[in-house]
Amino acid sequence: MSFITRTPRAQGTIEASSTQTRASKLALAVGFVAFWVAVIAAYNAPATAYELSIYAATPDQFWAGIATAVVLGLLVAWFVAPENSLRSLAIALVVGSILAVAALPIIRGYFFLGAGDSLTHLGWMKDIATGVLNPLDFLYPGIHTSTVFIERVTGMSLERATQFLVLAYLLVYVTFVGLTVQLIAKTKYALLFGLLSGLLVLPINNISVHLMAHPSTEGIFFLPLVLYATFRYLTKPAKPFRIWRLPITPSAIVLALVLTAILLIHPQVTGNVILIFGSISFMQLAFRQLRSEHPLSQHRALFGHTIYLITIFLLWAPRNPRTTNTIDTLTNAILYGASSGSAIAQRGSTLTELGGSLPELFFKLFLISLVFGILSAMIMLLSLGRKFAGEYPVGDAIVKYITLSMVPLFGMFLLFSILQGSTQRFRYIGFVMVLLTILGAVMLSWGFDWLSQRTTGTRVLRAGVVIAFVFMLPLSTMTIFSSPFIYQPTQQVTEATFNGYETAFEYQDPSIPFTGIHSGPSRYVHAIYGSPFTNEEEIVPGAKAEVPNAGFAVGNLTTYYSSDRYIIYSDSTEQRELDLYEGLRYPAAGFAALETTPRIDQVHSNGEVRVYLLHPNTAPNVTENSTVTT
């Protein structure tokens, strides 16, 4: 009778499982079709001119398809058994969908992305590609040499190769956030929590961390790989082999290579890694002296790698004047003080005039970061209270490592916040958000595991997690790129814009300086001619000059200047000032005055870049042979 009573239950379970499998397969099929429909829709709508918002310019079919793929992928990933192969496909669908959003500039054929620092880095890449700049004489040649390598192997332009490089670093970031969380948490859903948390890309704040060719950003994206290699080395003993009678393990060599790589990507990020390694080494030394029986004392020592990292940092970084200039700036700020928060206060004033506010911008940029900050604070406090030591001894030790590392990192953040009015502090926020993302995902994993063991309503828990990420993923995705949603223009550089500046520089009268609206054309000088900081004014006089707001607004530039000037600006500049900032700094009347004011003549236009030649009223004669021609 016992056998008879159990048979229907088993049969019912098999039927339910089979039904769930068929439903999951159907959901994944629909999800992948939606994904490819989305990608094809975006590909068939290439960018033909500058777009103020990449989100608004991308077809609605793309967003509908990506939303469908993400929701269906999340449902399957959370509701099939962890060992089911369909779960891997579901995870791939979600990861691929979010990465497709990040790849929109590639899919939609952007010529280049990054209208600020990235143009300067493009110039350095050209210098390396042509042999003008020796990578060994450069402070952070990592992404530059990698981009040149991609260009040489694929035959694509450097401008496009940078976009693939940035996407590759983002993939490294997401992958190793997931693997690091799995290494720490060791639960059935740890990898899933880690990958989904990585897809939120919380380090991006579009203030000092951007999804574009920007070495400090790529260094931050590389950090999870460094952390994974470090924690694996510490907690996964391996059989050593001998080199020059020294016992060496493969994980030790991998970690050394990874540390060398991050130094070449960006030394400032490496400096932060030194703080982490120093904290871990200090904790190991303290526990070995005071609590030798503690599991943490049994980990492999990090002293050797810490010394190695400090050594290569000191041998590499001080050779470049950029390092010494940064140190001098910080030292002067410590000795003489510096204004703090001026840049933020100015942005807050601008936001208020546009009808926004800093709290609103904080909500858009940092709400999810705040959630993960709270989760991280919870896990750090619980770890210090020894709540995880019994069930997760390895993970608890790593959480303690990260917790202690937060102390010097927070100190550096405070130092930059108090002493410098720049946005450097947001680089530290981006760096720390990598650690908080990992800790928050571990807390979610352990919390989910704890609740699953104490309740029968796991479906409700899973549904709650799906709903949470259905809310968080779109919000984070809307801030991957700068856009009017966060009161910034998309950093697109069109080929016509690039060519327009190149033509203007080529046919300039070298006796007449340039001036730009909002900013001078110095970034394009770097991108076109390389990055000769010492003589950029010799190549393009007035490269850093900008048109004064007041004179532009009332249309009296001919009385403001005492000598001839080229006024150059792009369509992206006009859209930004008029459509995004509503003429707050440079009103429409000023642009109209360029067409109607006597003694201001348009001398070049290719549809996206316009150049005007201004002759001041005080000048008795018009300078001859001073026009720019195509």
Side-chain angles (χ1 to χ4, degrees):
M1 295 295 295
S2 173
F3 177 79
I4 295 174
T5 56
R6 290 180 183 178
T7 301
R9 292 183 181 180
Q11 184 67 31
T13 302
I14 293 173
E15 291 177 354
S17 176
S18 178
T19 301
Q20 185 186 51
T21 299
R22 287 196 297 270
S24 298
K25 289 181 179 179
L26 178 61
L28 286 178
V30 173
F32 276 104
V33 169
F35 169 80
W36 285 112
V37 167
V39 172
I40 292 171
Y43 180 79
N44 287 333
T48 57
Y50 175 77
E51 301 171 346
L52 190 63
S53 170
I54 191 172
Y55 299 101
T58 300
D60 293 340
Q61 296 93 321
F62 174 84
W63 300 113
I66 291 299
T68 302
V70 169
V71 171
L72 292 176
L74 285 173
L75 289 171
V76 174
W78 281 103
F79 283 95
V80 300
E83 63 276 5
N84 194 321
S85 60
L86 293 178
R87 186 185 183 213
S88 299
L89 288 174
I91 294 174
L93 177 60
V94 177
V95 172
S97 297
I98 301 301
L99 289 180
V101 177
L104 271 176
I106 297 174
I107 296 172
R108 300 195 54 240
Y110 274 26
F111 174 73
F112 188 70
L113 187 69
D117 287 353
S118 297
L119 284 171
T120 299
H121 291 294
L122 176 62
W124 276 319
M125 292 170 190
K126 291 181 176 180
D127 286 344
I128 291 174
T130 57
V132 173
L133 177 63
N134 185 345
L136 296 179
D137 296 331
F138 191 43
L139 181 60
Y140 32 62
I143 72 165
H144 306 77
T145 52
S146 299
T147 304
V148 172
F149 175 78
I150 294 173
E151 180 224 16
R152 297 289 168 81
V153 171
T154 64
M156 67 177 63
S157 66
L158 281 172
E159 291 83 2
R160 191 158 179 81
T162 60
Q163 299 177 58
F164 280 94
L165 181 83
V166 171
L167 189 64
Y169 271 92
L170 180 60
L171 181 58
V172 168
Y173 169 81
V174 173
T175 300
F176 282 95
V177 166
L179 291 176
T180 305
V181 171
Q182 185 183 47
L183 178 67
I184 299 172
K186 296 187 182 301
T187 67
K188 293 188 295 184
Y189 292 94
L191 179 61
L192 183 53
F193 272 115
L195 290 173
L196 292 178
S197 299
L199 288 173
L200 298 174
V201 204
L202 297 182
I204 293 179
N205 50 50
N206 282 301
I207 300 173
S208 288
V209 184
H210 315 267
L211 190 64
M212 59 185 71
H214 192 241
S216 62
T217 296
E218 276 69 70
I220 289 171
F221 284 171
F222 196 75
L223 178 61
L225 173 54
V226 175
L227 296 175
Y228 178 78
T230 302
F231 297 144
R232 186 172 180 84
Y233 166 79
L234 291 173
T235 61
K236 299 282 187 180
K239 186 177 180 180
F241 57 90
R242 292 189 174 274
I243 298 180
W244 298 315
R245 297 184 178 181
L246 296 175
I248 304 293
T249 62
S251 60
I253 295 177
V254 169
L255 179 54
L257 292 175
V258 167
L259 294 176
T260 305
I262 198 168
L263 174 63
L264 297 177
I265 295 171
H266 204 282
Q268 185 182 51
V269 177
T270 307
N272 295 335
V273 175
I274 290 175
L275 296 178
I276 295 176
F277 273 48
S279 301
I280 294 175
S281 297
F282 173 80
M283 181 178 287
Q284 286 186 329
L285 182 62
F287 271 81
R288 292 185 183 203
Q289 293 295 323
L290 303 175
R291 298 187 61 185
S292 58
E293 77 286 351
H294 194 278
L296 192 147
S297 301
Q298 310 308 313
H299 290 171
R300 300 168 73 182
L302 198 62
F303 309 136
H305 284 88
T306 303
I307 295 172
Y308 170 76
L309 182 59
I310 293 173
T311 301
I312 62 173
F313 178 83
L314 292 177
L315 290 174
W316 179 265
R319 302 176 311 123
N320 193 286
R322 291 177 66 85
T323 302
T324 54
N325 290 341
T326 300
I327 294 173
D328 290 343
T329 300
L330 191 58
T331 302
N332 289 333
I334 293 173
L335 294 176
Y336 306 111
S339 61
S340 176
S342 58
I344 304 301
Q346 184 178 4
R347 294 189 184 198
S349 175
T350 302
L351 283 173
T352 301
E353 294 184 68
L354 292 174
S357 66
L358 279 177
E360 175 200 351
L361 189 60
F362 177 87
F363 175 86
K364 293 176 178 179
L365 288 175
F366 299 112
L367 175 63
I368 303 175
S369 298
L370 178 62
V371 171
F372 272 74
I374 294 172
L375 290 171
S376 299
M378 290 172 57
I379 196 173
M380 287 189 284
L381 291 174
L382 290 172
S383 177
L384 293 175
R386 305 188 65 182
K387 298 298 183 182
F388 305 119
E391 192 170 0
Y392 309 105
V394 175
D396 179 66
I398 296 177
V399 170
K400 284 183 170 63
Y401 286 143
I402 298 176
T403 301
L404 183 61
S405 301
M406 288 291 183
V407 177
L409 290 172
F410 185 67
M412 289 299 296
F413 167 75
L414 285 180
L415 189 64
F416 274 96
S417 297
I418 295 172
L419 298 175
Q420 287 195 319
S422 70
T423 56
Q424 276 280 340
R425 72 198 78 173
F426 289 97
R427 287 191 182 183
Y428 281 89
I429 291 178
F431 185 94
V432 169
M433 281 314 306
V434 177
L435 302 176
L436 297 187
T437 298
I438 291 170
L439 288 179
V442 173
M443 184 69 227
L444 288 173
S445 181
W446 284 349
F448 184 88
D449 195 50
W450 185 85
L451 289 172
S452 297
Q453 295 173 12
R454 288 160 178 80
T455 180
T456 57
T458 57
R459 285 184 172 272
V460 176
L461 283 177
R462 295 177 188 180
V465 172
V466 170
I467 292 172
F469 278 98
V470 164
F471 168 76
M472 291 190 294
L473 283 172
L475 183 58
S476 66
T477 301
M478 291 171 68
T479 57
I480 286 180
F481 300 108
S482 56
S483 72
F485 179 69
I486 55 174
Y487 300 97
Q488 292 183 12
T490 295
Q491 295 294 303
Q492 176 193 8
V493 176
T494 67
E495 187 171 10
T497 296
F498 197 89
N499 292 339
Y501 275 93
E502 188 172 27
T503 300
F505 298 155
E506 182 179 357
Y507 291 99
Q508 66 173 316
D509 182 333
S511 66
I512 301 176
F514 278 85
T515 184
I517 294 177
H518 178 62
S519 61
S522 62
R523 295 295 190 181
Y524 287 94
V525 178
H526 301 162
I528 293 167
Y529 296 105
S531 298
F533 286 106
T534 56
N535 62 353
E536 64 181 0
E537 288 286 340
E538 294 180 12
I539 297 175
V540 177
K544 292 186 176 181
E546 61 181 77
V547 174
N549 299 54
F552 185 87
V554 297
N556 67 347
L557 292 178
T558 55
T559 60
Y560 177 85
Y561 291 105
S562 59
S563 61
D564 290 357
R565 288 290 188 281
Y566 288 125
I567 300 175
I568 185 170
Y569 69 92
S570 64
D571 184 57
S572 60
T573 301
E574 187 170 2
Q575 284 194 47
R576 178 187 64 220
E577 298 302 329
L578 298 184
D579 298 338
L580 177 58
Y581 297 133
E582 301 174 357
L584 183 63
R585 299 179 296 188
Y586 294 93
F591 286 97
L594 294 176
E595 298 289 343
T596 59
T597 301
R599 308 184 72 81
I600 297 181
D601 303 308
Q602 185 179 103
V603 293
H604 169 64
S605 174
N606 70 347
E608 291 199 27
V609 173
R610 284 166 286 282
V611 182
Y612 295 85
L613 178 60
L614 178 150
H615 305 295
N617 286 333
T618 56
N621 298 309
V622 175
T623 304
E624 297 180 358
N625 301 321
S626 56
T627 61
V628 180
T629 59
T630 56

